[in-house]
Amino acid sequence: MDFDELYQEIILDHYKRPRNCGVLPPPATRGSGFNPACGDEVTVFVQQSPEGKIQSVSFQAQACAICTASTSLMTLQLKGITREEALALQRKFIDFLTKEGPGDGLGNLRALGGVRKFPQRLKCATLGWHALEAALNG
Ligand code: ZN
């Protein structure tokens, strides 16, 4: 397998130095995901404002480079947006990976596009997003 495209510079950077790593205490809500195929474990913490916007987001991961980088990149896109906007971003990201969607507005998350060639890694790339959805649902 040619991993050159899969492990691009952005992915390695976010794997080595994940952003927004850590725990948010209650009343922040949390959601977790586990990917047995790879062994990835991710927990996402979300603090929502009374107006329904995402104030803070963090995560903890014991996960591969793809999963850690995808979740780290995700956290950079969430501050100040609503739950609905976050879920729309999730759908856009999954469409980008599975249906060759254009990925407008995904920013550096487009670095994960190499996963298209490795369908077995799709769960790695989307695990953090499913944990986010669980956290948003409280
Ligand atoms: Zn993985």
Side-chain angles (χ1 to χ4, degrees):
M1 275 205 293
D2 177 11
F3 280 94
D4 286 353
E5 280 183 80
L6 194 58
Y7 291 92
Q8 291 173 28
E9 210 171 312
I10 291 170
I11 293 172
L12 279 174
D13 177 42
H14 279 262
Y15 178 51
K16 290 176 183 164
R17 298 188 303 119
R19 318 302 199 268
N20 298 307
C21 237
V23 174
L24 292 178
T29 53
R30 63 165 71 190
S32 295
F34 176 56
N35 171 19
C38 183
D40 303 316
E41 289 184 50
V42 176
T43 301
V44 173
F45 301 84
V46 176
Q47 176 69 53
Q48 296 180 77
S49 74
E51 300 79 37
K53 293 197 171 172
I54 295 172
Q55 280 181 321
S56 311
V57 57
S58 71
F59 77 103
Q60 287 192 310
Q62 295 274 346
C64 69
I66 297 295
C67 183
T68 303
S70 178
T71 308
S72 173
L73 285 160
M74 174 188 80
T75 64
L76 296 178
Q77 303 262 338
L78 297 175
K79 271 180 197 166
I81 69 173
T82 65
R83 175 183 180 282
E84 287 69 29
E85 287 166 339
L87 293 176
L89 195 65
Q90 178 202 48
R91 282 193 297 274
K92 190 182 283 189
F93 180 64
I94 291 172
D95 280 355
F96 173 69
L97 294 183
T98 60
K99 300 176 190 166
E100 311 230 335
D104 301 337
L106 290 176
N108 281 342
L109 281 164
R110 295 165 62 94
L112 274 301
V115 169
R116 287 170 176 171
K117 293 182 187 164
F118 304 93
Q120 72 275 20
R121 306 303 297 276
L122 188 63
K123 277 190 181 166
C124 300
T126 57
L127 188 69
W129 293 80
H130 292 301
L132 168 70
E133 187 175 358
L136 287 168
N137 288 335

